[in-house]
């Protein structure tokens, strides 16, 4: 699978990167800049260096600089001496234009090398950092420049990391869609993928979903697990029912509809955290099976690890750390889970924790059990 990169260009534009593009940090100030120079300017500055004919440019044989050549059908990138004096093979790409001729999707014919990609990444970064300056130069400023110090962060990425798909923010080849009440929206792809973040973090993004009655120990387990993972050098984040109801979900109560909406939102947020490469620990009563299952379906198979704290109602009520059961029994809290509101047990969850001979494992022991499950499934180690 060869990569794609999307540029905002006009059909008639031809782009050149010349000698003054200090791609390899040639400037003495130590600041690396990249300049785009319009063909007109080139022609003007270097009379007879280039001849423009029918959207093509003729370059003298002894031209020893990076050259980006874009025509209606093709993009050819000729990087050269700026990369440590090394000549790279030309990178060719088919150029698919949108109906307005303002966006071009470049599908590479050859697998780009890392250096090609670095060069293309520089272009995309410059584009995103100077949003008013499209890469096209005709009719706009003659040149734009951008610091590319951020490039260092990308150096750790291998070619394989970035070749699968790359596109510019704000420019998107994907179709317009209607999703729910949102009409005419487009899915925006980013160059840095989940797998890249996971490699960076040396873990696999996933969701550990802790469900159970109020007082069953969800928050305690979530925090204990979070801490235990941190001690192992892993990055997690806890989403807790009480906490999210202080902000994102403060407009929701405890009716069946509101609980469903609560869990739907949390499921979506958890999915984002997992996509960020984190281990998202979600601790919610989440009393309805269909709501938990809907969250599971949002994630790739295996990435949703459901942990059921099967603690008997009597024990939860005995603990009653917030005095809520007491209030519920007194009728002062309505629709309290386990009292006058249902809790639907999971049928096929990954881990069930329940007392054995009346004894429940400690939070640390339960956390260790979750961790060994995650280890077994390969969520805690990924080689760089
Ligand atoms: N009626 C009723 N039923 C259940 N719980 C109640 C209720 N009213 C308030 N609380 C407090 O809200 C916490 C549960 O929030 P959740 O977001 O996890 O609930 S749910 O998943 O939407 O059912 C829950 O926290 P935990 O005790 O940690 O479970 C309670 O502190
Ligand atoms: N594994 C455990 N063994 C004994 N007590 C526990 C355990 N887990 C939690 N607890 C205690 O149970 C009470 C409820 O725990 P909490 O984490 O607040 O439950 P939840 O978030 O499900 O409402 C707390 O007082 C806590 O200290």
């Amino acid at each position: 699978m060869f990569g794609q990169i999307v540029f905002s260009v006009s059909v008639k534009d031809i782009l050149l990167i010349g000698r003054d593009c200090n791609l390899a940090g040639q400037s003495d100030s130590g600041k690396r800049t990249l300049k785009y120079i319009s063909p007109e300017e080139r022609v003007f500055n270097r009379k007879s260096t280039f001849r423009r004919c029918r959207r093509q440019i003729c370059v003298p044989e002894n031209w020893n600089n990076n050259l980006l050549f874009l025509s209606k059908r093709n993009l050819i990138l000729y990087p050269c001496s700026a990369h440590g004096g090394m000549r790279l093979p030309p990178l060719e790409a088919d150029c698919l234009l949108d109906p307005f001729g303002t966006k071009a999707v470049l599908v590479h014919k050859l697998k780009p090398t890392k250096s090609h990609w670095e060069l293309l990444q520089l272009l995309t970064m410059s584009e995103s950092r100077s949003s008013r300056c499209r890469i096209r130069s005709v009719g706009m400023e003659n040149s734009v420049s951008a610091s590319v110090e951020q490039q260092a962060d990308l150096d750790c990425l291998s070619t394989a990391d970035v070749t699968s798909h790359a596109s510019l923010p704000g420019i998107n080849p994907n179709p317009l869609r209607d999703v729910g009440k949102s009409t005419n929206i487009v899915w925006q792809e980013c160059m840095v993928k989940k797998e890249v973040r996971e490699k960076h973090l040396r873990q696999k993004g996933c969701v550990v979903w802790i469900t159970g009655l109020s007082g069953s120990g969800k928050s305690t387990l979530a925090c204990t697990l979070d801490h235990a993972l941190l001690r192992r050098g892993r990055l997690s984040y806890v989403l807790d029912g009480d906490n999210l109801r202080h902000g994102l979900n403060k407009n929701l109560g405890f009716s069946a509809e509101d609980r469903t909406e609560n869990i739907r939102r949390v499921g979506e947020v958890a999915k984002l955290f997992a996509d960020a490469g984190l281990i998202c620990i979600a601790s919610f009563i989440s009393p309805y099976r269909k709501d938990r299952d809907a969250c599971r379906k949002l994630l790739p198979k295996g990435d949703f690890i459901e942990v059921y704290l099967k603690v008997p109602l009597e024990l939860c009520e005995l603990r009653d750390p917030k005095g809520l059961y007491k209030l519920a029994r007194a009728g002062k809290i309505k629709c309290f889970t386990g009292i006058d509101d249902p809790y639907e047990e999971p049928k096929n969850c990954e881990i069930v924790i329940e007392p054995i001979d009346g004894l429940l494992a400690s939070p640390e022991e339960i956390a260790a059990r979750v961790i060994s499950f995650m280890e077994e499934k390969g969520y805690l180690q990924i080689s760089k």
Side-chain angles (χ1 to χ4, degrees), residues 213-221 283 319 321-322 360-363 366:
L213 292 172
S214 174
S216 59
K218 301 182 297 297
S219 306
T220 308
L221 172 60
S283 126
R319 289 174 172 173
K322 304 172 198 160
L360 194 65
S362 71
I366 303 172

Side-chain angles (χ1 to χ4, degrees), residues 207 237 239 244 248-249 263-275 280 298:
V207 175
Y237 191 80
L239 300 177
L244 264 76
L248 178 66
N249 294 338
I263 299 309
R264 187 193 70 78
R265 289 183 197 173
V266 172
E268 293 287 354
V269 173
K271 176 186 167 182
L272 296 177
F273 273 90
D275 188 55
C280 180
L298 292 174

Side-chain angles (χ1 to χ4, degrees), residues 26 40 98 147 217 243 265 288 346:
Q26 292 166 0
E40 280 80 356
D98 75 350
S147 161
N243 293 356
R265 289 183 197 173
Y288 307 130

Side-chain angles (χ1 to χ4, degrees), residues 40-269:
E40 280 80 356
E41 198 198 23
R42 276 276 171 217
V43 174
F44 180 76
N45 285 346
R46 298 175 185 275
K47 287 178 194 151
S48 77
T49 303
F50 300 109
R51 190 158 52 82
R52 202 175 166 191
C53 55
R54 282 203 210 164
R55 294 183 186 136
Q56 285 191 355
I57 249 172
C58 303
V59 186
E61 269 185 18
N62 62 354
W63 184 249
N64 193 31
N65 291 305
N66 289 305
L67 169 66
L68 183 69
F69 170 64
L70 179 70
S71 71
K72 191 168 182 177
R73 303 176 66 86
N74 276 293
L75 172 125
I76 305 177
L77 176 68
Y78 295 98
C80 57
S81 56
H83 284 274
M86 199 177 64
R87 259 193 182 279
L88 291 166
L91 175 67
E92 290 189 45
D94 281 336
C95 184
L96 314 173
L97 289 165
D98 75 350
F100 310 105
T102 52
K103 295 177 204 166
V105 180
L106 307 172
V107 184
H108 302 294
K109 288 177 184 163
L110 300 168
K111 189 165 181 161
T113 66
K114 188 178 177 193
S115 301
H116 286 128
W117 275 99
E118 283 171 356
L119 202 54
L120 290 170
Q121 280 168 351
L122 291 176
L123 291 169
T124 58
M125 284 172 65
S126 302
E127 169 76 0
S128 59
R129 286 163 63 92
S130 51
S131 53
R132 294 232 195 103
C133 302
R134 296 210 181 149
I135 285 178
R136 78 171 179 201
S137 50
V138 175
M140 304 189 68
E141 293 104 309
N142 283 338
S143 67
V144 292
S145 64
S147 161
V148 292
E149 277 149 9
Q150 286 171 335
Q151 181 63 18
D153 294 340
L154 294 168
D155 286 346
C156 61
L157 306 181
S158 69
T159 310
D161 289 332
V162 290
T163 49
S164 59
H165 189 99
S167 70
L168 283 176
I171 302 164
N172 201 312
N174 291 331
L176 289 177
R177 296 173 65 200
D178 295 345
V179 182
K181 288 186 183 170
S182 296
T183 50
N184 302 314
I185 54 170
V186 174
W187 184 262
Q188 181 71 54
E189 291 288 344
C190 281
M191 196 164 25
V192 181
K193 299 286 166 197
K194 184 183 183 212
E195 297 71 38
V196 178
R197 293 187 282 273
E198 288 178 333
K199 270 191 182 181
H200 194 64
L201 294 168
R202 296 179 195 231
Q203 63 186 34
K204 206 165 171 309
C206 62
V207 175
V208 177
W209 190 279
I210 306 172
T211 175
L213 292 172
S214 174
S216 59
K218 301 182 297 297
S219 306
T220 308
L221 172 60
C223 294
T224 310
L225 179 61
D226 190 39
H227 191 222
L229 286 166
L230 187 76
R231 282 203 310 269
R232 293 169 140 261
R234 300 291 169 259
L235 196 57
S236 50
Y237 191 80
V238 175
L239 300 177
D240 188 89
D242 271 321
N243 293 356
L244 264 76
R245 284 174 175 278
H246 278 77
L248 178 66
N249 294 338
K250 67 181 172 192
N251 61 335
L252 300 175
F254 291 91
S255 66
E257 298 74 40
D258 280 6
R259 288 184 201 253
T260 293
E261 176 59 10
N262 181 32
I263 299 309
R264 187 193 70 78
R265 289 183 197 173
V266 172
E268 293 287 354
V269 173

Side-chain angles (χ1 to χ4, degrees), residues 340-377:
D340 54 354
D341 225 52
Y343 178 83
E344 297 168 5
E345 293 194 319
K347 281 188 174 150
N348 288 308
C349 65
E350 281 68 17
I351 301 172
V352 181
I353 304 292
E354 57 188 322
I356 298 171
D357 298 331
L359 273 180
L360 194 65
S362 71
E364 290 74 21
E365 286 165 339
I366 303 172
R369 194 167 149 199
V370 176
I371 285 178
S372 71
F373 178 90
M374 295 177 79
E375 241 169 8
E376 209 176 285
K377 301 287 176 191

